[in-house]
């Protein structure tokens, strides 16, 4: 539509100026041609061939005009739809960046997990024989639980890992001691002493510590991109107020009604209009910056202390190491279990040949993708840095690229009344700074509730990332329905994934974490603030929403 308007300006500039007598001579430099061109749009059926003073417009300045009151109303509707389309277009570009970052990391992470699982399935049959083939489901269940946790299911990851080692120990102990009849009650006794005997060595403890931190960081990181994208989508759909619609119409189409189709709006005039219209959106900026900084902080952890490439890509190797520890120390461990739980009865089935197949220390290789991870993190941090100022730079972006405003020093631009300089100062960012906006009447006591809810979502997500940054588990039960399941892309078989449920919800740690200053140095910045837990933030959100009918 803007290309059509520019074309009509060039057409009008090629036509002779109006001639006339008396007051109409003031309009020698003006033409109604631009409006006649716009009349081709649906809903703009009426046109005027020459300026008139008979029309009394409600938005545009009074005096000679090329528009009827009906045209003015249609222009208002047109400018509103165009401006809202500009907002959605700008938002879609941000959504595309965040979604692409999520997709890249999600694909990388799922690939790590898939390769680890495949390596286990490929190597373990020949390495462990019946020790593996009779316990395939135990291993499949582990990877299924890990995927479900990453996809934000309500799973206690530490409990899932503990359950894996318990089930594996029970199965392997029986297979390694086939000459005994070992009951479920006896296994319960053995498991109680497992922590003391450490049948798998230090692997379970070490893997639990590293894997939980890596998974917590990974899923929070992936979820952060989705939350940011969803916030932009919802905010971009917020409709303009009636006062804003009038201001946008005056900015974009009143020059046509005044016969100045070729005159562009003054830049500062455009900024005041757009800042007034997007005052609530600008209030997202603080929490938006915190989210971007928190994502960058967790990115450093993912490629640093909680390195997912090292941890996730070697899960199968740690399991192999644990099984080897059990095999090598079988006699010592069996003796200790017998001392603590008594001697089990001899089995009538006899010993199995599998027990005689003592297998040596196993060494598996893992193909590192550290360089790919490093590139992912660098790319993400570059994009996150660029997006930090999105909400406060949006007015200038729209004015320069979409409205095509004139330069700030131009004294021959449309100032809302005529062609000339624009004198009022430019308002600050955010709702509170619009109290004296000369172009848009903004009620600073009535914040937009949709945007306030999205500010709360940003706070909640930043809180989660802060916890993930220090290795604390966080739950995702209050995530948006729009994002449920959106992060999965694994190749786990349907008959394996998603069958087993956690016995209890995830535990929660105290949720206090450092947040950077607006200058942004990641989540570990020098200054910090304390954020409430996610549940408290949701209660606050309800409290904010409750008085909505009073504001309206």
């Amino acid at each position: 539509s803007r290309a059509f308007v520019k074309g009509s300006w060039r057409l009008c500039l090629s036509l002779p100026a109006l001639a006339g007598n008396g007051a109409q001579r003031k309009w020698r430099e003006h033409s109604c041609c631009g409006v006649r061109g716009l009349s081709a749009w649906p809903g703009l059926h009426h046109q005027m061939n020459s300026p008139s003073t008979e029309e009394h417009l409600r938005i545009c300045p009074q005096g000679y005009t090329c528009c009827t009151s009906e045209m003015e109303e249609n222009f208002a509707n047109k400018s509103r739809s165009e401006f809202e389309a500009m907002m959605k277009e700008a938002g879609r570009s941000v959504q595309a960046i965040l979604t692409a970052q999520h997709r890249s990391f999600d694909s990388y992470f799922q690939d790590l997990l898939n390769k680890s699982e495949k390596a286990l399935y490929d190597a373990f049959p020949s390495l462990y024989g019946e020790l593996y083939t009779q316990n395939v489901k135990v291993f499949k269940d582990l990877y299924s639980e890990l995927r479900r946790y990453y996809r934000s299911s309500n799973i206690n990851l530490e409990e899932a890992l503990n359950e894996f080692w318990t089930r594996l120990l029970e199965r392997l102990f029986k297979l390694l001691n086939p000459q005994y009849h070992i009951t479920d009650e006896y296994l319960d006794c053995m498991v109680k002493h497992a922590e003391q005997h450490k049948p798998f060595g230090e692997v379970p403890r070490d893997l639990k510590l590293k894997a939980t931190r890596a998974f917590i960081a990974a899923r929070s990181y992936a979820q952060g991109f989705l939350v940011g994208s969803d916030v932009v989508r919802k905010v971009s759909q917020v409709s303009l107020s009636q006062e804003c619609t009038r201001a946008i119409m005056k900015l974009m189409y009143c020059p046509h009604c005044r016969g100045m189709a070729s005159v562009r709006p003054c830049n500062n005039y455009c900024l005041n209009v757009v800042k007034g219209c997007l005052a609530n959106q600008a209030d997202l900026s603080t929490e938006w910056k915190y989210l971007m900084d928190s994502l960058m902080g967790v990115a450093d952890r993912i490629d640093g202390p909680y390195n997912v490439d090292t941890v996730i890509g070697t899960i199968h190797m740690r399991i192999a190491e644990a099984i080897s520890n059990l095999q090598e120390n079988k006699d010592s461990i069996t003796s200790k279990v017998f001392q603590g739980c008594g001697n089990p009865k001899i089995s009538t089935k006899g010993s199995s040949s599998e027990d005689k197949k003592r297998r040596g220390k196993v060494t598996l290789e893992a193909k590192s993708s550290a360089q790919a991870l490093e590139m992912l993190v660098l790319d993400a941090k570059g994009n996150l840095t660029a997006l930090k100022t999105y909400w406060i730079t949006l007015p200038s972006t729209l004015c320069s690229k979409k409205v095509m405003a004139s330069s700030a020093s131009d004294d021959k631009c449309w100032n809302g009344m005529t062609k000339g300089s624009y004198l009022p100062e430019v308002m600050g960012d955010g709702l509170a700074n619009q109290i004296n906006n000369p172009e848009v009447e903004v009620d600073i006591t009535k914040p937009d509730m949709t945007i306030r809810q999205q500010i709360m979502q940003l706070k909640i997500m930043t809180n989660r990332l802060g916890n993930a940054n220090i290795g604390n588990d966080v739950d995702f039960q209050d995530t948006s329905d729009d994002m449920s399941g959106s992060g999965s892309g694994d190749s786990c078989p349907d008959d394996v994934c998603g069958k087993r449920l956690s016995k209890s919800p995830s535990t929660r740690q105290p949720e206090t974490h450092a947040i950077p200053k607006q200058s942004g140095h990641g989540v570990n910045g020098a200054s910090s603030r304390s954020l409430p837990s996610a549940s408290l933030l949701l209660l606050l959100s309800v409290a904010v929403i409750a008085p909505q009918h009073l504001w309206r």
Side-chain angles (χ1 to χ4, degrees):
S1 62
R2 306 306 296 171
F4 182 89
V5 173
K6 286 194 287 185
S8 68
W9 288 352
R10 287 192 285 267
L11 176 63
C12 292
L13 288 172
S14 67
L15 296 178
L18 284 172
N21 297 316
Q24 273 196 332
R25 287 177 181 161
K26 296 179 180 179
W27 277 64
R28 289 180 63 86
E29 298 179 359
H30 302 253
S31 169
C32 291
C33 170
V35 177
R36 289 202 299 275
L38 287 171
S39 297
W41 283 90
L44 301 176
H45 305 303
H46 299 279
Q47 63 182 44
M48 298 176 67
N49 294 320
S50 60
S52 170
T53 57
E54 296 178 2
E55 289 291 335
H56 298 286
L57 305 182
R58 293 181 300 171
I59 300 176
C60 294
Q62 300 300 316
Y64 283 102
T65 179
C66 294
C67 296
T68 64
S69 56
E70 183 180 355
M71 289 171 65
E72 184 185 47
E73 182 178 351
N74 288 334
F75 275 140
N77 293 331
K78 177 174 166 54
S79 61
R80 175 174 184 163
S81 63
E82 285 185 345
F83 189 80
E84 290 179 346
M86 292 178 197
M87 276 290 296
K88 290 179 182 177
E89 181 184 350
R92 278 192 293 267
S93 65
V94 177
Q95 287 177 257
I97 293 172
L98 294 173
T99 303
Q101 291 298 326
H102 169 267
R103 188 182 300 114
S104 296
F105 177 77
D106 180 69
S107 175
Y108 166 82
F109 188 85
Q110 299 277 7
D111 189 54
L112 272 181
L113 203 54
N114 291 340
K115 286 180 178 178
S116 173
E117 184 175 23
K118 185 178 185 301
L120 186 149
Y121 295 159
D122 289 345
F124 277 34
S126 60
L127 290 173
Y128 301 117
E130 288 185 14
L131 290 181
Y132 169 73
T133 57
Q134 294 188 20
N135 295 285
V136 174
K137 191 175 185 304
V138 177
F139 300 106
K140 287 186 175 181
D141 285 345
L142 171 64
Y143 282 93
S144 174
E145 293 290 81
L146 294 177
R147 285 190 180 88
R148 291 180 62 227
Y149 178 85
Y150 171 69
R151 291 197 294 260
S152 305
S153 297
N154 187 27
I155 292 174
N156 186 315
L157 184 57
E158 290 190 10
E159 183 179 284
L161 289 170
N162 288 337
E163 183 179 352
F164 164 73
W165 293 115
T166 297
R167 292 177 64 198
L168 186 62
L169 176 61
E170 292 174 347
R171 301 289 188 89
L172 297 187
F173 189 80
K174 293 180 71 172
L175 285 172
L176 292 172
N177 296 279
Q179 69 271 34
Y180 296 104
H181 175 66
I182 300 176
T183 64
D184 290 343
E185 290 77 11
Y186 194 89
L187 289 177
D188 288 339
C189 176
M190 178 199 66
V191 169
K192 290 179 181 178
H193 293 82
E195 182 67 27
Q196 177 184 353
H197 303 324
K198 295 183 179 179
F200 294 119
E202 295 294 333
V203 174
R205 177 181 173 277
D206 185 60
L207 181 61
K208 181 169 65 174
L209 177 64
K210 293 178 179 178
T212 51
R213 286 183 172 180
F215 268 91
I216 289 167
R219 80 165 186 171
S220 301
Y221 184 68
Q223 192 76 8
F225 287 113
L226 292 180
V227 168
S229 177
D230 195 59
V231 166
V232 175
R233 179 182 64 83
K234 290 179 178 178
V235 171
S236 297
Q237 294 174 347
V238 173
S239 299
L240 299 182
S241 66
Q242 185 176 356
E243 293 79 9
C244 183
T245 300
R246 293 169 60 89
I248 293 293
M249 152 62 188
K250 187 177 179 183
L251 172 75
M252 297 173 64
Y253 286 105
C254 282
H256 296 270
C257 292
R258 294 289 287 174
M260 303 179 189
S262 62
V263 180
R264 297 185 299 173
C266 300
N267 185 65
N268 287 351
Y269 170 40
C270 181
L271 286 175
N272 274 341
V273 170
V274 179
K275 284 192 175 192
C277 289
L278 303 184
N280 283 280
Q281 285 84 339
D283 282 347
L284 286 157
S285 182
T286 298
E287 294 303 329
W288 180 262
K289 287 180 180 178
Y290 287 143
L291 179 66
M292 300 297 106
D293 283 331
S294 297
L295 280 168
M296 287 192 283
V298 175
D300 285 334
R301 292 287 185 175
I302 287 173
D303 191 28
Y306 307 158
N307 191 285
V308 294
D309 179 72
T310 302
V311 177
I312 310 304
T314 61
I315 291 176
H316 61 291
M317 297 173 61
R318 303 309 308 277
I319 294 174
E321 181 185 347
I323 295 175
S324 295
N325 288 338
L326 179 62
Q327 287 179 311
E328 291 178 355
N329 298 289
K330 172 203 165 187
D331 294 339
S332 172
I333 292 169
T334 299
S335 175
K336 291 178 181 178
V337 171
F338 285 2
Q339 289 179 8
C341 300
N343 294 327
K345 296 180 180 179
I346 302 296
S347 174
T348 57
K349 295 180 180 180
S351 63
S352 168
S353 60
E354 181 67 25
D355 181 45
K356 300 174 184 179
K357 297 179 182 179
R358 297 282 299 194
R359 304 181 187 274
K361 191 76 174 179
V362 177
T363 302
L364 297 178
E365 293 184 359
K367 294 182 179 179
S368 175
S369 55
Q371 187 175 4
L373 175 60
E374 182 180 356
M375 294 303 296
L376 276 176
V377 168
L378 284 175
D379 183 55
K381 291 173 73 172
N383 281 295
L384 291 168
T385 299
L387 292 178
K388 283 172 65 173
T389 59
Y390 171 70
W391 295 107
I392 57 173
T393 58
L394 184 57
S396 59
T397 300
L398 292 177
C399 284
S400 61
K401 296 182 179 179
K402 303 297 182 180
V403 183
M404 297 177 298
S406 181
S407 63
S409 60
D410 195 341
D411 61 352
K412 295 181 180 179
C413 50
W414 172 251
N415 60 19
M417 296 299 294
T418 186
K419 180 169 68 173
S421 301
Y422 183 76
L423 301 179
E425 64 177 344
V426 178
M427 297 294 101
D429 301 304
L431 189 62
N433 287 317
Q434 306 310 310
I435 189 170
N436 294 317
N437 192 311
E439 309 304 336
V440 188
E441 184 179 343
V442 182
D443 189 345
I444 64 172
T445 66
K446 295 182 179 180
D448 183 274
M449 296 312 302
T450 297
I451 293 176
R452 298 296 141 172
Q453 291 167 17
Q454 296 314 303
I455 291 174
M456 190 62 64
Q457 288 301 315
L458 292 175
K459 289 182 178 180
I460 292 171
M461 190 64 243
T462 300
N463 189 45
R464 290 178 182 143
L465 288 164
N467 277 282
N469 190 57
I470 56 176
N472 285 347
D473 203 357
V474 288
D475 72 55
F476 281 75
Q477 290 306 294
D478 53 345
T479 51
S480 169
D481 292 338
D482 297 340
M483 295 177 290
S484 59
S486 57
S488 60
D490 58 85
S491 57
C492 183
D494 293 337
D495 61 339
V496 173
C497 290
K499 283 188 176 181
R500 301 174 66 250
L501 296 175
S502 175
K503 294 180 180 179
S504 66
S506 60
T507 55
R508 300 297 300 274
Q509 300 292 333
E511 299 183 338
T512 302
H513 64 97
I515 297 294
K517 293 182 178 180
Q518 291 190 13
S519 58
H521 297 287
V523 217
N524 294 319
S527 68
S528 65
R529 63 172 186 166
S530 178
L531 280 180
S533 66
S535 57
L536 177 57
L537 287 169
L538 285 176
L539 291 174
L540 291 173
S541 179
V542 173
V544 171
I545 297 170
Q548 180 176 358
H549 67 284
L550 296 175
W551 289 346
R552 295 182 176 175

